[in-house]
Amino acid sequence: MLILRINVPQTFIHNATPDTIFGNYQCRELTVSAHPVYGQPLLLDFWSVSSRMLNDFIDEQGYAYVFFGPNDYVQQQVIDQQTVATRPPVMTWGNYTGYLLGDPSGSLIIRYRDPADDWIGNPANAVCYLDKASNQPVTKEELGDYLPELYGDTLANFKAGYIGNVVNNKDWPR
């Protein structure tokens, strides 16, 4: 199980019929996706959530949460919640509510579409390294409060109330 915490930028696309003028938005669109290993069969009919969807469960501090779980566990949640097959189920886990995506066995991708040049959360503010050997994690100094945070643990520990340092009925770890 994984839990992603992300400060959702103000985005251009809020509904199916967005404004036609770009305006003062931090980012045109944000998506979070769980991609399976290339070539493996797709077990779920969904793999992504958009900023429009994330706004459904944003907390008072502007953060949204996305859960990632084993595909069979996620599929059982689809059945239990009777969600439309192409829409991820909603996970309420103590103080945290967000969409539940499948296992990102291939990659977990956060896509920022057309971020504003002057927005602190713009991924262009992160250092780009020449190769994997010299690669370093993105820092809070680079992206401020917009630095995504990810914790992982076993399904058993998730059911016991924690994913890494995140405890379901306590504040987010500092």
Side-chain angles (χ1 to χ4, degrees):
M1 289 297 296
L2 299 170
I3 185 171
L4 172 74
R5 178 186 188 215
I6 189 164
N7 193 338
V8 179
Q10 295 171 357
T11 58
F12 176 68
I13 301 171
H14 293 285
N15 56 48
T17 56
D19 299 334
T20 57
I21 299 172
F22 187 66
N24 296 318
Y25 297 96
Q26 295 170 324
C27 185
R28 192 171 185 86
E29 175 72 344
L30 169 79
T31 57
V32 177
S33 304
H35 291 266
V37 171
Y38 181 75
Q40 299 253 330
L42 296 176
L43 302 174
L44 301 168
D45 293 326
F46 50 84
W47 58 86
S48 190
V49 291
S50 68
S51 50
R52 259 178 46 201
M53 295 169 76
L54 293 173
N55 282 326
D56 292 344
F57 301 107
I58 204 162
D59 70 15
E60 63 280 347
Q61 297 172 334
Y63 290 95
Y65 303 89
V66 180
F67 296 88
F68 302 87
N71 292 328
D72 56 342
Y73 177 79
V74 176
Q75 184 60 45
Q76 188 59 53
Q77 298 307 307
V78 169
I79 293 166
D80 292 350
Q81 294 180 26
Q82 299 178 354
T83 61
V84 176
T86 56
R87 188 166 179 89
V90 173
M91 174 61 60
T92 298
W93 185 67
N95 295 343
Y96 306 101
T97 299
Y99 287 100
L100 174 63
L101 297 176
D103 179 9
S105 57
S107 60
L108 188 161
I109 297 175
I110 301 171
R111 178 177 173 242
Y112 298 87
R113 182 174 170 208
D114 300 327
D117 291 336
D118 61 351
W119 172 51
I120 190 171
N122 187 335
N125 293 331
V127 174
C128 187
Y129 295 91
L130 291 175
D131 54 38
K132 283 186 176 184
S134 60
N135 200 12
Q136 297 292 314
V138 177
T139 66
K140 189 136 179 138
E141 290 73 29
E142 294 169 313
L143 298 183
D145 290 336
Y146 291 93
L147 178 68
E149 299 172 84
L150 182 68
Y151 289 92
D153 215 320
T154 65
L155 182 58
N157 287 342
F158 167 77
K159 289 179 178 180
Y162 63 94
I163 302 175
N165 292 339
V166 181
V167 178
N168 66 354
N169 59 2
K170 293 188 178 180
D171 290 340
W172 192 261
R174 301 230 180 260

